[in-house]
Amino acid sequence: MALPEALSTRAQRAFMGIGRVFAEAIVVIVMVAIVFGKVADHVDLDLTRYKTIPCYLALFILAELFELFMAYDALRLRNIIQLVGILMFHAALLVMAALQIHETRAALVHDPGANRTTDYINGGGPGTLWHSVFPFLVVPPVMIGVSWAVMIFFVQQLYYEFGWAIFHIVGANRATKTMYQFYQVMICLLKFDFFAFIGVTVQLLIVVLQKNTAEFGLTVAAIPIVLVLLIGAGLAVQREIKWMMSVSLILMLAAESYFYKLERFYDPDSREQYQTVRATLTTFTLIAFLLLFATFAIGLRCFADFDKGLLKSKMHGLFGDCSHLQTSPSSEDTHHLLTALQAPRRKTAD
């Protein structure tokens, strides 16, 4: 069976799965599942102190599946900016995997000197539950770190492949190219915003909130609302709908208030609920806050570019399959590009 056009070159296949993204996702998910299974066999995961384990499983399955989607989407659209975003996302995964080692130890080890015979579940010595899951906790950050270095190499190759896709879409005009790149950044940020929000919400639902409380219902209800907000913002910036873009930007500012929950992680009255997930939850929340603020700022820049002749290029670049575009210049492309670059010089000379 022929490969899809999004995986038509060696660098694309190596980046996506035959060499990296897919293989790493499988290894990380298997390691996380093993940790979950070993702990679940010996402790009650409904207890607050152990809820970091199901959080760990849920977040990394979500993260790996999200990264697979983003990688394929970036290759399909020939979007180098999204590939750079994936590199940053991967670095964040590395930090999260390293933090999880600390948080799992905090959840399992309450008697560091105990061994298998004295306290298998709460001990930190040889033969204990912590000792048995520790190797499987180390594998994910090592695997993520190695694959990150490989990703950087292939992204460099894909940068040269995909540069001509942008030329085919917007031409050689530098001002138009800059506007289109800001638009690509905006769309990419909206996708990462959704993951960050879901990540924070999943942790809150698993660790803290009770199903029979109003806050649980409000948190669940916020998921489709945020999804509609992000889709609306994407449509507004892509179709240059001014009223919708204005509403989206206002709602982004309002959504920043959601991060009041950060204060509760350290409040003396509630901090015990977050003891084993405080580091991960704080990191996730801060990243989500910064991503949303960056989206607002880039959104303002994109709003300023409305009605400047980029609408047709946006429609083509977002919904069109760019896989048919050449990854190397033809002689005609080279002629057009050189003509466009030399035009300002000729004007100056005249």
Side-chain angles (χ1 to χ4, degrees):
M1 183 175 65
L3 288 170
E5 290 297 328
L7 304 177
S8 58
T9 68
R10 183 184 67 85
Q12 292 171 35
R13 293 192 294 271
F15 181 86
M16 180 63 197
I18 297 176
R20 209 239 29 107
V21 175
F22 188 70
E24 181 244 309
I26 292 176
V27 172
V28 170
I29 291 175
V30 168
M31 293 298 105
V32 173
I34 290 174
V35 172
F36 178 84
K38 283 179 171 289
V39 176
D41 286 342
H42 296 91
V43 305
D44 182 4
L45 294 178
D46 289 332
L47 297 176
T48 301
R49 60 177 280 195
Y50 296 123
K51 285 188 175 180
T52 185
I53 308 301
C55 270
Y56 179 41
L57 177 66
L59 285 177
F60 271 87
I61 289 178
L62 180 65
E64 293 296 343
L65 293 178
F66 176 77
E67 188 175 53
L68 282 172
F69 162 76
M70 291 290 284
Y72 183 80
D73 188 54
L75 296 178
R76 181 181 67 86
L77 296 177
R78 301 295 195 261
N79 189 336
I80 192 64
I81 291 176
Q82 189 162 308
L83 289 178
V84 173
I86 291 172
L87 287 179
M88 298 173 67
F89 178 80
H90 209 71
L93 277 185
L94 178 60
V95 173
M96 298 297 292
L99 285 174
Q100 190 58 43
I101 297 176
H102 164 75
E103 292 192 340
T104 303
R105 188 180 190 283
L108 296 180
V109 179
H110 288 262
D111 186 1
N115 56 31
R116 178 183 178 86
T117 57
T118 57
D119 193 344
Y120 174 75
I121 294 177
N122 298 309
T128 59
L129 179 59
W130 160 249
H131 196 264
S132 69
V133 301
F134 177 73
F136 300 102
L137 288 168
V138 172
V139 171
V142 172
M143 185 69 181
I144 292 171
V146 171
S147 64
W148 187 58
V150 176
M151 285 173 70
I152 293 174
F153 171 76
F154 285 113
V155 167
Q156 288 178 328
Q157 293 189 0
L158 292 171
Y159 173 82
Y160 295 107
E161 283 191 19
F162 295 171
W164 285 98
I166 295 179
F167 169 72
H168 275 279
I169 294 172
V170 300
N173 185 280
R174 292 186 179 182
T176 304
K177 182 180 178 181
T178 299
M179 289 190 293
Y180 187 76
Q181 287 175 334
F182 272 108
Y183 161 72
Q184 286 187 313
V185 171
M186 178 69 177
I187 296 298
C188 186
L189 283 173
L190 289 172
K191 296 172 185 176
F192 284 112
D193 284 336
F194 180 70
F195 173 81
F197 174 78
I198 292 297
V200 172
T201 302
V202 166
Q203 291 180 82
L204 290 174
L205 293 177
I206 292 177
V207 177
V208 181
L209 302 180
Q210 302 298 320
K211 294 182 179 179
N212 58 350
T213 62
E215 188 174 4
F216 183 91
L218 290 173
T219 303
V220 172
I223 296 176
I225 293 174
V226 171
L227 179 59
V228 170
L229 166 63
L230 297 176
I231 292 176
L235 287 174
V237 71
Q238 187 260 336
R239 298 177 182 271
E240 299 189 356
I241 305 173
K242 294 182 179 179
W243 70 266
M244 187 181 291
M245 191 65 183
S246 300
V247 172
S248 298
L249 292 173
I250 292 171
L251 290 177
M252 284 181 197
L253 284 181
E256 295 283 3
S257 62
Y258 180 82
F259 299 105
Y260 77 92
K261 292 179 180 289
L262 184 63
E263 182 270 337
R264 296 181 58 185
F265 305 161
Y266 299 92
D267 188 282
D269 295 332
S270 58
R271 61 180 299 163
E272 288 301 318
Q273 301 177 73
Y274 304 91
Q275 180 179 359
T276 60
V277 294
R278 187 178 296 114
T280 301
L281 197 50
T282 299
T283 303
F284 240 97
T285 305
L286 287 174
I287 290 174
F289 177 86
L290 293 174
L291 277 174
L292 189 58
F293 185 79
T295 306
F296 174 78
I298 298 296
L300 290 176
R301 177 63 168 77
C302 291
F303 200 178
D305 291 334
F306 282 11
D307 299 326
K308 293 186 178 180
L310 198 61
L311 181 59
K312 183 178 179 181
S313 297
K314 289 178 180 180
M315 295 290 290
H316 175 77
L318 184 62
F319 293 109
D321 186 352
C322 300
S323 57
H324 66 282
L325 298 179
Q326 297 175 10
T327 55
S328 60
S330 64
S331 58
E332 184 179 356
D333 291 332
T334 305
H335 172 73
H336 289 322
L337 181 60
L338 291 175
T339 301
L341 293 176
Q342 291 173 359
R345 298 180 182 177
R346 292 173 181 172
K347 185 176 180 180
T348 303
D350 292 342

